Amino acid sequence: QPKQQTALDVLMQKDCKYLLYGGAMAGGKSYLLRWAAFTFSVYTAQETGIRGIPIGIFSEDYPTLKDRQISRITREFPDYLGTLKETKEEGFGFFINEKYGGGRILLRNLDDPGKYMSSEFAAIFVDELTRNSEQTFMDLRNRLRYPGVEAVKFMGASNPVRIGQGWVRKYMIDKAAYDAR
């Protein structure tokens, strides 16, 4: 869809670190997150030469992660792009074919954000951002780093009203407390 393409174009600009993609139900938000994660991985490998970067797609709990992301990756991502699997070292994710940079789209739930305290991600994508607390957002921001990747990205997709509506507006729309772009 044109709005999805515009959002992806903005996200891929070097000066865009944070992006919120909002809208009504069935607006293609989860779809955009999946394909933005893949696009960012391939682009970063081509631009920096860094292969195998970790990218996180997060959802508030496992059932929603399964419904919104895992089941869709199974249907949407052709086999030649990579493999959806679970590894002992990195958990569940979509492991992109080496031909496309070997990135890892790691599929995570936010039932306990503290379990990611020592993790590093070159990009973080959160499905239904407003379903999470402000503290969860702050915790994830601290995980947004990866050696050699200067243009790290954070993208949230969300419906306009949920428990986190206030803090999402404060940081992502009003740009309070830090420069959200």
Side-chain angles (χ1 to χ4, degrees), residues 54-55 104 106 116 118-122 142-147:
I55 295 169
R104 295 139 27 232
L106 304 173
Y116 306 113
S118 62
S119 300
E120 294 180 323
F121 296 95
N142 291 329
R143 312 285 69 82
L144 190 59
R145 60 185 190 274
Y146 194 74

Side-chain angles (χ1 to χ4, degrees), residues 110 112-113 126 129 131-142 154 167:
L110 292 168
D112 175 13
V126 181
L129 186 60
R131 286 189 172 265
N132 297 283
S133 71
E134 181 176 2
Q135 186 58 53
T136 296
F137 172 65
M138 294 302 180
D139 290 345
L140 288 176
R141 286 183 58 221
N142 291 329
F154 185 103
W167 71 260

Side-chain angles (χ1 to χ4, degrees), residues 54-120:
I55 295 169
I57 294 183
F58 292 84
S59 198
E60 70 264 19
D61 56 32
Y62 185 77
T64 56
L65 181 67
K66 183 178 167 192
D67 290 347
R68 292 187 200 133
Q69 298 297 339
I70 297 169
S71 66
R72 306 287 171 79
I73 286 172
T74 303
R75 292 192 307 264
E76 291 175 13
F77 285 19
D79 291 341
Y80 67 85
L81 292 181
T83 306
L84 183 66
K85 63 183 178 181
E86 185 168 8
T87 69
K88 184 178 178 183
E89 299 80 23
E90 297 186 282
F92 201 61
F94 184 79
F95 295 80
I96 299 171
N97 187 318
E98 284 297 321
K99 179 179 179 179
Y100 305 107
R104 295 139 27 232
I105 300 173
L106 304 173
L107 302 163
R108 303 291 189 250
N109 70 68
L110 292 168
D111 60 349
D112 175 13
K115 62 187 165 190
Y116 306 113
M117 292 304 284
S118 62
S119 300
E120 294 180 323

Side-chain angles (χ1 to χ4, degrees), residues 8-24:
L8 183 59
D9 292 344
V10 170
L11 179 72
M12 297 307 293
Q13 294 173 10
K14 290 192 187 297
D15 68 339
C16 179
K17 184 173 181 180
Y18 295 93
L19 183 67
L20 175 66
Y21 185 78

Side-chain angles (χ1 to χ4, degrees), residues 28-39:
K29 297 178 297 294
S30 299
Y31 177 90
L32 174 60
L33 293 180
R34 287 187 291 283
W35 287 100
F38 180 82
T39 301

